[in-house]
Amino acid sequence: MLYGIAAAATALLLSALLAELLRVPALRLGILDRRRRWALPLSGGTAVVLATGLVAGLGDRAGLAPLGTGVGRLLAAGAWVGVLGLAADVWRLRWWIPLAGTAVAAALVVPYAETGVPAGVLAVAWVVAVAAAFRGLDHADGLAGTVAALAAFGVAACAAAEPMEGIAVLMAVLAAALAGFLLHNWHPARVGLGAGGSLFTGFVLASSAVFVRAGQGIGAGAGVLFAVTAVACADAVLVVLGRRLSRWPVTRGRPDHLGHRLRRLGLAPRAVTVLLAAAALGGVLAGVGVHTGRVSGGAALWVAAVAAVVVLALLRLPVTPVFRPRQRSSEASVQVSERLRVRSG
C-alpha cells in the first residue's frame, strides 16, 4: 500500500518534470500537434510513457511490486506501441501502420489461456479499437488525459478487488503519470499527448482491463470493459457514424468529435472537458460496481443506452463552421463597409 502511494507520487512528479524538460526539444525537432494553429509540442506523451515505464519497471525489477510475467510483457508491448505512435507524430505515417503495430502487440499480450481463442481474437480487436479511440479523443485540452486517468483508476479498483496487485500498481502509476501530464495540458495547453502518448495509454488501459476480466464471461466482461472506457468509445462511434452518414472518409480528419460538437453548442473548452470527465466518472463507477458485484449488470446497459442517446443527439449537429475564418472576416468587412457607405450617404 505504502509503495503504491510512493510509486504514484513519483510517477506524477516525474511525468510533470519530463513534460516540461522535453518541451523545448520537441519544439526544436518539430514534434508538434499539426491540428493546432499554434505550436503545441507533444512532449507530454513521451513523458507519460517514460514515467509509467520507469516507475513500474523499476518497481518490478527491485521486487517491491512484481508485475508478473504477463503484465511485464504488457508493459513492454505498450512501450513498443508508444514508440510507434511517436514515429507517427514525427513522420506522419499512414493511418494503418500504427494500428497494425498495435494489433500485433495486442495479439502478443492477450491471455488466451483464460479467454479462449475466439474471445481472445475479439479482445485483440477491442484493444486496438480502444487505443485508436483514445488517439481520437486527444482533440481538446485536458480531455484525453482526464478521461484516461479516470479509466485507469477504475481498472486499478477492479484489479485490486481480484486481487491482481501487478495490474493495480501499473494502473495507479499510469493514472498518476497522466495527472502529472495534465498539469501542463489543462486549457490553455502547453504540451500535448500526441499519438505516442494516446496510443500507449489506450493500449495499456484496454489490455489491463482484458487481463482483469479474462475468464469471467464475455457478456458481463464486455459491459464492464465498455463502461470504464465509455466516453472514448462513444467518441469513436460518433465519428465513424457521422463520417459514414455524410460520406466523408473515415480516416480523414474533421472537427466532428464529441468536444467539437459540444463547442458548437456554446460550451467553453474547460466546460467541455469537465462535462465529459463527469460522464467518464459515471461510466467508471458503473463498471467498477458491476465488476465487484455491488450493482447489477444492468448498470453497464444503462451506460451504453445513455451513450447511444448522446451519440444520436449529437449526430444532428453541424461539424463545420458556417463560414471559414477568412470567409467570415471577409463577410464582416463587407458588412462594415456597407454600413459606412450608408451612413456617409
Side-chain angles (χ1 to χ4, degrees):
M1 181 66 178
L2 291 178
Y3 173 76
I5 296 175
T10 302
L12 188 153
L13 295 175
L14 183 60
S15 176
L17 179 62
L18 287 174
E20 181 63 29
L21 291 178
L22 296 174
R23 185 174 181 274
V24 173
L27 283 170
R28 291 180 177 176
L29 294 173
I31 307 176
L32 309 172
D33 189 342
R34 298 179 178 88
R35 298 170 298 180
R36 310 263 182 158
R37 294 183 180 179
W38 63 92
L40 183 69
L42 299 178
S43 59
T46 304
V48 169
V49 174
L50 290 177
T52 304
L54 287 174
V55 174
L58 290 176
D60 178 59
R61 298 245 342 169
L64 297 174
L67 297 177
T69 304
V71 183
R73 187 168 64 248
L74 185 159
L75 183 58
W80 152 254
V81 172
V83 171
L84 192 59
L86 180 61
D89 286 329
V90 176
W91 292 298
R92 294 190 181 186
L93 303 179
R94 292 182 178 274
W95 65 269
W96 59 267
I97 297 178
L99 291 187
T102 303
V104 172
L108 294 175
V109 301
V110 167
Y112 298 100
E114 289 80 12
T115 63
V117 175
V121 172
L122 292 177
V124 170
W126 188 79
V127 169
V128 175
V130 171
F134 271 99
R135 183 180 182 183
L137 197 65
D138 185 31
H139 61 266
D141 294 346
L143 182 55
T146 303
V147 171
L150 291 170
F153 275 121
V155 177
C158 293
E162 288 303 315
M164 299 176 68
E165 294 182 358
I167 292 290
V169 169
L170 176 60
M171 288 294 96
V173 169
L174 175 61
L178 289 166
F181 156 72
L182 285 170
L183 295 176
H184 304 285
N185 187 244
W186 197 253
H187 183 79
R190 298 185 69 249
V191 301
L193 195 59
S198 56
L199 287 175
F200 167 82
T201 299
F203 176 86
V204 174
L205 268 173
S207 300
S208 298
V210 167
F211 266 76
V212 173
R213 289 297 306 181
Q216 299 189 32
I218 296 179
V224 172
L225 295 180
F226 174 81
V228 296
T229 57
V231 170
C233 293
D235 181 69
V237 171
L238 175 64
V239 168
V240 172
L241 278 180
R243 293 180 185 180
R244 292 290 296 174
L245 291 174
S246 62
R247 297 182 180 179
W248 186 271
V250 175
T251 58
R252 185 178 176 186
R254 195 184 185 195
D256 55 358
H257 291 266
L258 279 172
H260 298 132
R261 294 178 190 261
L262 291 175
R263 289 295 306 277
R264 292 286 298 182
L265 292 176
L267 294 179
R270 293 183 182 181
V272 169
T273 301
V274 171
L275 178 62
L276 292 178
L281 178 60
V284 167
L285 292 176
V288 174
V290 172
H291 177 79
T292 57
R294 296 182 180 274
V295 297
S296 67
L301 294 178
W302 275 107
V303 173
V306 171
V309 170
V310 171
V311 167
L312 292 176
L314 293 180
L315 273 175
R316 300 175 61 86
L317 290 177
V319 297
T320 55
V322 178
F323 297 105
R324 292 181 180 178
R326 293 181 180 178
Q327 291 175 327
R328 188 181 297 114
S329 302
S330 162
E331 184 75 12
S333 301
V334 170
Q335 291 178 357
V336 171
S337 301
E338 187 66 21
R339 290 175 183 173
L340 292 175
R341 186 183 64 80
V342 170
R343 288 181 181 180
S344 63

